[in-house]
Amino acid sequence: MNAHMSPDEFRRHGHQVIDWIADYHERLESFPVLSQASPGNVRASLPADPPERGEGFESVLADLDRVIMPGITHWQHPSFFAFFPANASGPAILGDLLASGLGVQGMLWATSPAATELETHMLDWLATLLGLDPRFRSDSAGGGVIQHSASDAALVALVAALHRVSGGATETAGTAAGRFTVYTSEQTHSSVEKACRVAGVGSAALRKLRIDPATQAADAGHLADLLAADVAAGYTPALVVASVGATGTGALDPVGTLADLAHEHGAWLHVDAAWAGVAAVCDELRWINAGVEKADSYCTNPHKWLLTNFDCNAFWVADRAALIGALSILPEYLRNEATESGEVFDYRDWQVPLGRRFRALKLWTVLRWYGARGLRDHIRGHVALAQEFAGWVAADGRFELLAPHPLALVTFALRAGDAATRSALHAVNASGDAYLTHTLVNGRLAIRMAIGSVLTERRHVEAAWHAIQAQA
Ligand SMILES: *Cc1c(COP(=O)(O)O)cnc(C)c1O
């Protein structure tokens, strides 16, 4: 079996793979949500050396069931309530497959015009669906791009911010640690600190804003104090990151106030709405966008709660010149007429790597399959379930809600204390019937109930609640 897979062989095995995936989705509920594998189990079932002679594809599929499946935690399981959802959907899987089949690199407009133009257009569609300010659209000075992840979005926002705040000097001088400062709340995702390290300003540049204990939102007064003190001490504030739906509790920062303060000091305001942002497809939830119209950049992950398989982070800037200025380097071998004409976007200049997959295809297949109505129903269903779940928690005197829960994340604890909360969580997860994760809220251990799997119905939420109650 040394030859390439022929189109006929591909057709046959392709049908087998599609059947396998369809069967998997049908029998998801028969698996324990959390993999029961111990460290090393999966590798112990794999041969030590790669095969010398090619093998039949059937043997790979057989080993998928035998070796891989026991080491899978089932993120698409309807009783998966951990972290945040990572939606997969039929149209997204097929869109991704088409992208693989085409196998194009969309680094420049010229390397596949459709890859760039569909992406620009999908980000404009998404801006419409989410009700984002026209400043972020491609027909303004801004525009959108698909990043690998929200972490990449934070990194490129920081790099663009450093470029702008230093008047372009980062191009030639780099970023001296100890000169620039970055601000975000204690609740913000760790990707912001990682971005500081990667960009070279270092973790020491990061100032953590206090949070309001009741809402878990960033304290704008503290930002004002820190900015004034840093400027007085000779630092240059570069970036403020506001969260819309922080990872721990789903906290919503006062974006508009933080943006005003950032801009007073010449800093860039990036909004990380990785999980929650897509909820703005629903009119009644669009209030979560308050203040976003003042941001310099904004991102949300269709790969979390909007039915689009990882990876798909939608990232918009209001001033694309700052981003492109920070990241564009044009070596001779990439020169081409379209780039020189200035009439096209070359998305390599909007991201860290050069190469890029045709990810807009899966967003296109998703948006066309579901339509705005289907997307709204998807989000609304989960929000309604979460509100009902919070009602059950509030009605049981042994439990306590720990933070506001306007969307589909509910944080709660046992009144009996952290040890009781921890053991209830462990017992439920060990049973394999549901999977939930934890966070700290004002120093207390909290269970996070994140509702967002495509197949989750009321009965799954109810069963999880009964399992938790049984451990109280
Ligand atoms: C999940 C999450 C991230 C990280 O997302 P990636 O796309 O995996 O990098 C960042 N910020 C928030 C608020 C998140 O919920």
Side-chain angles (χ1 to χ4, degrees):
M1 279 235 161
N2 297 320
H4 293 302
M5 193 180 271
S6 72
D8 273 340
E9 286 168 325
F10 178 79
R11 205 183 313 277
R12 188 157 59 82
H13 298 308
H15 289 159
Q16 287 170 338
V17 166
I18 297 288
D19 282 343
W20 190 96
I21 297 171
D23 289 346
Y24 172 61
H25 286 171
E26 268 177 354
R27 64 195 172 109
L28 260 168
E29 279 189 71
S30 67
F31 294 97
V33 189
L34 184 61
S35 169
Q36 315 286 309
S38 303
N41 278 175
V42 176
R43 290 198 63 181
S45 304
L46 292 166
D49 295 312
E52 176 62 24
R53 302 171 68 103
E55 301 174 53
F57 200 76
E58 277 88 356
S59 59
V60 179
L61 280 181
D63 283 350
L64 182 66
D65 286 314
R66 188 180 64 85
V67 180
I68 303 299
M69 293 311 281
I72 292 292
T73 287
H74 300 278
W75 281 71
Q76 304 310 316
H77 195 295
S79 299
F80 184 99
F81 303 113
F83 306 106
F84 278 128
N87 287 178
S89 71
I93 295 167
L94 295 176
D96 228 359
L97 187 58
L98 289 170
S100 293
L102 288 170
V104 301
Q105 278 286 352
M107 54 207 185
L108 302 170
W109 178 88
T111 59
S112 258
T116 295
E117 293 193 17
L118 186 68
E119 185 160 329
T120 305
H121 209 73
M122 287 308 99
L123 274 282
D124 279 351
W125 272 13
L126 207 49
T128 302
L129 286 167
L130 300 178
L132 294 183
D133 194 86
R135 295 162 67 238
F136 295 116
R137 302 183 66 91
S138 62
D139 55 6
S140 71
V145 61
I146 299 176
Q147 301 285 347
H148 177 64
S149 72
S151 307
D152 295 81
L155 175 60
V156 297
L158 174 54
V159 172
L162 289 168
H163 179 80
R164 192 175 73 181
V165 82
S166 60
T170 51
E171 267 175 32
T172 48
T175 53
R179 209 178 125 204
F180 299 103
T181 49
V182 174
Y183 307 80
T184 199
S185 101
E186 299 162 6
Q187 285 287 314
T188 296
H189 193 267
S190 54
S191 51
V192 175
E193 182 166 351
K194 197 187 256 190
C196 289
R197 293 195 199 167
V198 175
V201 297
S203 291
L206 186 63
R207 312 288 194 252
K208 294 264 176 88
L209 305 176
R210 278 196 302 266
I211 54 167
D212 176 328
T215 62
Q216 304 288 303
D219 178 344
H222 192 209
L223 175 61
D225 294 346
L226 287 174
L227 283 167
D230 282 335
V231 169
Y235 291 105
T236 304
L239 176 70
V240 177
V241 179
S243 297
V244 170
T247 311
T249 63
L252 299 137
D253 288 338
V255 177
T257 313
L258 298 182
D260 289 341
L261 288 166
H263 293 157
E264 256 173 49
H265 295 275
W268 182 287
L269 192 287
H270 174 62
V271 177
D272 178 2
W275 160 66
V278 297
V281 293
C282 301
D283 290 334
E284 74 277 18
L285 299 173
R286 192 153 291 172
W287 57 266
I288 65 171
N289 283 349
V292 168
E293 71 283 357
K294 295 182 179 175
D296 296 287
S297 55
Y298 173 85
C299 82
T300 186
N301 282 345
H303 71 225
K304 275 186 170 153
W305 197 11
L306 206 68
L307 298 157
T308 309
N309 293 48
F310 192 85
D311 53 335
C312 186
N313 168 268
F315 173 72
W316 289 269
V317 285
D319 172 19
R320 60 180 179 261
L323 181 62
I324 294 169
L327 295 176
S328 181
I329 299 171
L330 188 60
E332 186 55 37
Y333 50 81
L334 292 179
R335 283 188 188 279
N336 67 88
E337 262 175 49
T339 296
E340 244 118 86
S341 77
E343 285 173 39
V344 301
F345 287 173
D346 289 324
Y347 275 134
R348 70 179 187 107
D349 296 335
W350 298 52
Q351 64 174 18
V352 174
L354 172 64
R356 56 201 327 274
R357 306 198 306 119
F358 194 171
R359 288 173 295 210
L361 263 181
K362 64 186 168 191
L363 200 48
W364 193 42
T365 52
V366 166
L367 298 182
R368 292 184 67 177
W369 176 268
Y370 288 96
R373 286 191 189 175
L375 301 176
R376 287 183 202 120
D377 288 348
H378 170 70
I379 299 286
R380 259 180 205 140
H382 294 144
V383 174
L385 286 173
Q387 299 315 308
E388 200 176 2
F389 179 85
W392 299 335
V393 175
D396 186 328
R398 296 168 296 176
F399 292 88
E400 192 178 353
L401 292 165
L402 294 187
H405 47 80
L407 300 172
L409 172 66
V410 181
T411 46
F412 64 102
L414 277 128
R415 288 187 195 273
D418 286 359
T421 301
R422 183 176 291 111
S423 76
L425 178 63
H426 283 175
V428 170
N429 288 342
S431 75
D433 295 337
Y435 181 31
L436 297 88
T437 47
H438 71 277
T439 189
L440 286 179
V441 182
N442 302 326
R444 280 181 69 185
L445 187 76
I447 300 177
R448 296 169 74 263
M449 177 74 174
I451 299 176
S453 285
V454 179
L455 298 173
T456 301
E457 296 169 21
R458 188 174 184 278
R459 67 187 167 94
H460 302 107
V461 179
E462 225 180 349
W465 173 234
H466 291 151
I468 295 162
Q469 277 183 312
Q471 299 300 328

